[in-house]
Each structure stands twice: as structure tokens, then as C-alpha cells.
Amino acid sequence: MLWFKALHLIFMVAWFAGLFYLPRLYVYHAMSSDEISNERFKIMERKLFFGIMTPGMVATLIFGFWMLIVYDWSVYAHAGWLHVKLLLLMLTLAYHYFCYVWLLDFKYDRNRRSHIFYRWMNEVPVLFLVGIVILAVVKPF
């Protein structure tokens, strides 16, 4: 069982590394004006999203739900901390989806947002990570 937990954490770290870095790439991409930079950022963003973030997300979900099943969901069915953690997970999944939407905006040269927007969006996954880790480790309620 500890192997599942270790793999869950490893893939979660990979996923969140991408969630932290991709909006930073969007900041730089939104500030760039030359075609060479734009094409380079498109490649970097695509590889990060599809090569690291999405596989990390899928594996995190697989091992996380596997642990819920193996540890016996009925034990945790009434744990408030787990419900809040799962809510934060759903918000993180929504954020991942928005990262994909922004990726498509840049890919098709239709981004209308400023680098300041992406600077703010770059902070969002930090809030999710802090909440998820505190809930998983401390289990406050």
C-alpha cells in the first residue's frame, strides 16, 4: 500500500510542477512579440501540458482513487477533511482544464489576456496545493 501512496505523491509532484510552470510560460508568451519566440513557447507549452502535466494528473487520480478503494471508502465516507480535499481536487481539475483552454488560445494566436492575468493565475495552484496537503496530513476535521 505504501507503494501506491509513494506513486501518488510522485505523480502529484509532477502534475503540480506543470501547474506551477505552465502559467509562467504563458506570462512570457503573452509578453513576446516575435514569431520565433511565439513558436518556441507553443512547443514548450504543448510538451509540458501533454508530456508532464496530463500524465501526472492521470496517474495521480489513478493512485489516489486506488488508495480510497483499497483503504475502504466506508472508513472515510464521513471524514469532512476528505470531502474538502476532493472539492479542492475538483477545482484543481478545473484549473487544469483552463490551462488547456489557454494553451489552445496561444496555439491558434487568439490570446487576448495580458501577462498580468497569467501572473495572477500562476498563484492559484499554490492555494490548491497548500489546502490539499494540509487536509491530507493534518486532517483538521
Side-chain angles (χ1 to χ4, degrees):
M1 182 54 59
L2 291 178
W3 282 104
F4 292 120
K5 188 180 285 188
L7 290 169
H8 176 69
L9 290 172
I10 289 166
F11 287 112
M12 184 272 306
V13 168
W15 182 25
F16 269 88
L19 289 173
F20 292 148
Y21 189 52
L22 187 61
R24 177 55 49 183
L25 288 176
Y26 293 157
V27 168
Y28 300 138
H29 196 164
M31 293 172 55
S32 69
S33 57
D34 62 289
E35 191 59 32
I36 294 172
S37 294
N38 284 331
E39 292 306 313
R40 182 178 300 126
F41 282 121
K42 288 177 187 180
I43 292 168
M44 293 169 68
E45 291 157 0
R46 185 188 77 242
K47 287 184 175 185
L48 179 60
F49 187 84
F50 291 108
I52 296 173
M53 282 175 58
T54 301
M57 175 196 69
V58 169
T60 299
L61 293 173
I62 288 170
F63 289 111
F65 285 115
W66 183 270
M67 285 189 301
L68 274 179
I69 292 166
V70 171
Y71 278 139
D72 190 11
W73 168 250
S74 63
V75 173
Y76 293 108
H78 302 292
W81 66 269
L82 182 61
H83 294 119
V84 176
K85 181 185 173 198
L86 292 174
L87 172 65
L88 287 176
L89 171 63
M90 301 215 330
L91 291 173
T92 306
L93 290 169
Y95 180 82
H96 185 100
Y97 171 76
F98 282 110
C99 284
Y100 176 67
V101 170
W102 300 328
L103 178 91
L104 294 178
D105 286 345
F106 280 112
K107 177 181 179 180
Y108 295 114
D109 298 318
R110 61 180 186 223
N111 176 54
R112 302 292 177 248
R113 294 178 179 86
S114 74
H115 65 95
I116 295 169
F117 171 81
Y118 294 111
R119 285 182 196 277
W120 281 103
M121 289 299 101
N122 193 42
E123 304 305 322
V124 171
V126 173
L127 301 174
F128 295 149
L129 180 65
V130 167
I132 288 169
V133 169
I134 288 172
L135 289 165
V137 174
V138 179
K139 299 174 179 58
F141 49 91

